[in-house]
């Protein structure tokens, strides 16, 4: 298959204040359709209105369907990942995560209190957050996912996994998923979790040893890909005057990781998004 290289608008909510779409991931579905997932219908970078949305294209990315909501909790549903997995490669997972009310209120004060609209957006966000109950946060706060058993068109109930990564898990040769991510609520701690090819839940596999990274820097937002003979992981590492990408790999299916080292200079950028091209070329 080839993919369209011309510019095209995938999704927007034109002439509405909820017109911020961000942090997409894309994949081929089992039937040959393209699917793109992102966090959409937002006000800005942090707000409580984000929803995980999906769009489909049947003409190699030239035209897309309107965004349909896949993950919508009472909280701010953010970065979305998507992967096709399973023994027959016909199952689809969409992942996301969200923020606590406290974090959103703090960000609202920083981002919106000075916006030149007389404080309207600030009050709008505060009014919504006042409606979010304690039970809502207990039931939905965390790293979330939904599974599809029909190739990516309908999805089951929202579930939670202890780790999060902007582009979700990687698919292993046996059809299982390996989710290398940041432990939710524990900045700087990275773990690997696995879902069997026909499974429903993730189980713990290992912790990543990040001791090679200076203590003043925080590792987060990793992404993993199966390259054909190993799992390759790249990691966002950030700190004062530092914003870079580190890399490690695993040759035992995520049981252990080795060779953690920086691949970019101090200010050359992150976070990573790894894609294995059909030619064997790795795109980061």
């Amino acid at each position: 298959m080839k993919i369209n290289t011309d510019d095209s608008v995938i999704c927007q909510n034109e002439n509405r204040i909820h017109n911020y779409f961000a942090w997409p991931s894309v994949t081929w579905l089992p039937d040959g359709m393209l699917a793109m997932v992102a966090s959409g219908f937002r006000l800005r970078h942090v707000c409580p209105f984000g929803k995980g949305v999906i769009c489909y294209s049947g003409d190699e990315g030239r035209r897309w369907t309107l965004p349909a909501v896949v993950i919508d909790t009472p909280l701010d549903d953010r970065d979305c990942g998507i992967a096709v997995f399973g023994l027959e490669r016909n199952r689809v997972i969409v992942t996301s995560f969200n923020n606590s009310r406290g974090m959103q209120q703090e960000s609202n004060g920083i981002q919106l209190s000075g916006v030149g609209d007389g404080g309207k957006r600030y009050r709008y966000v505060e009014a919504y957050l006042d409606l979010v109950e304690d039970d809502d946060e207990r039931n939905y706060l965390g790293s979330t996912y939904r599974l599809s058993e029909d190739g990516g068109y309908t999805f089951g109930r929202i579930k939670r996994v202890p780790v999060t990564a902007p582009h979700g898990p990687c698919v292993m040769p046996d059809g299982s998923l390996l989710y290398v991510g940041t432990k939710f609520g524990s900045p700087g701690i990275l773990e690997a979790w696995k879902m069997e090819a026909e499974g429903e839940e993730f189980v713990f596999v290992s912790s990543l040893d990040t001791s090679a990274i200076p203590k003043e820097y925080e590792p987060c937002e990793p992404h993993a890909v199966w390259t054909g003979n190993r799992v390759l992981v790249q990691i966002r590492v950030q700190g004062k005057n530092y914003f870079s990408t580190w890399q490690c790999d695993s040759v035992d299916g995520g049981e252990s990781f080795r060779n953690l080292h920086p691949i970019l200079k101090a200010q050359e950028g992150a976070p990573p998004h790894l894609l294995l091209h059909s030619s064997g070329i790795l795109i980061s």
Side-chain angles (χ1 to χ4, degrees):
M1 295 180 180
K2 65 177 182 178
I3 194 166
N4 171 45
T5 56
D6 298 328
D7 292 337
S8 61
V9 175
I10 298 178
C11 56
Q12 63 181 351
N13 193 24
E14 198 173 12
N15 301 319
R16 301 292 188 272
I17 63 171
H18 294 272
N19 189 28
Y20 186 109
F21 292 79
W23 318 302
S25 301
V26 66
T27 193
W28 292 109
L29 294 179
D31 64 0
M33 293 281 281
L34 273 174
M36 186 284 312
V37 292
S39 179
F41 299 111
R42 315 176 58 81
L43 289 181
R44 59 188 302 141
H45 186 82
V46 178
C47 77
F49 305 113
K51 309 175 191 299
V53 302
I54 189 167
C55 299
Y56 304 94
S57 173
D59 59 5
E60 299 172 347
R62 292 178 178 83
R63 295 171 298 175
W64 296 82
T65 64
L66 293 173
V69 175
V70 179
I71 295 179
D72 184 14
T73 73
L75 303 168
D76 174 19
D77 302 306
R78 301 181 64 77
D79 315 41
C80 287
I82 186 169
V84 177
F85 72 109
L87 293 176
E88 304 297 327
R89 298 299 197 274
N90 59 357
R91 308 182 74 203
V92 178
I93 185 171
V94 171
T95 58
S96 181
F97 81 99
N98 50 52
N99 288 316
S100 68
R101 290 171 295 174
M103 186 276 184
Q104 293 174 65
Q105 286 169 331
E106 179 182 1
S107 177
N108 189 40
I110 294 171
Q111 292 190 3
L112 290 179
S113 60
V115 173
D117 62 358
K120 292 179 182 179
R121 293 194 182 199
Y122 173 81
R123 293 193 299 272
Y124 177 42
V125 171
E126 291 297 306
Y128 176 82
L129 290 173
D130 284 344
L131 294 173
V132 180
E133 304 290 343
D134 291 344
D135 281 348
D136 293 327
E137 193 161 275
R138 276 192 292 268
N139 291 334
Y140 291 105
L141 179 63
S143 177
T144 56
Y145 67 96
R146 293 182 72 183
L147 297 174
S148 171
E149 305 294 344
D150 63 1
Y153 294 99
T154 64
F155 291 83
R157 66 183 179 88
I158 294 175
K159 298 184 177 185
R160 286 185 288 184
V161 57
V163 292
T164 181
H167 300 290
C170 75
V171 182
M172 301 297 285
D174 62 357
S176 64
L177 294 172
L178 184 69
Y179 202 164
V180 179
T182 304
K183 187 175 182 181
F184 190 86
S186 300
I189 297 178
L190 305 183
E191 294 179 343
W193 288 67
K194 183 178 182 179
M195 180 187 290
E196 297 296 340
E198 301 304 312
E200 300 283 335
E201 309 286 343
F202 286 91
V203 297
F204 176 77
V205 178
S206 65
S207 295
L208 279 69
D209 179 3
T210 59
S211 58
I213 298 172
K215 291 183 178 180
E216 63 268 29
Y217 301 150
E218 177 190 343
C220 61
E221 296 189 343
H223 191 228
V225 67
W226 173 255
T227 66
N229 58 5
R230 59 179 177 149
V231 176
L232 188 71
V233 179
Q234 292 184 355
I235 303 166
R236 170 178 177 167
V237 179
Q238 60 189 18
K240 185 177 181 181
N241 299 320
Y242 195 87
F243 189 61
S244 188
T245 298
W246 289 49
Q247 180 174 291
C248 61
D249 67 355
S250 173
V251 294
D252 55 12
E255 296 286 342
S256 63
F257 293 85
R258 61 181 190 173
N259 303 326
L260 181 61
H261 64 283
I263 60 171
L264 297 176
K265 295 179 181 178
Q267 292 283 7
E268 287 194 341
H273 185 191
L274 292 163
L275 294 171
L276 186 64
H277 192 269
S278 58
S279 67
I281 294 174
L282 185 65
I283 303 168
S284 174

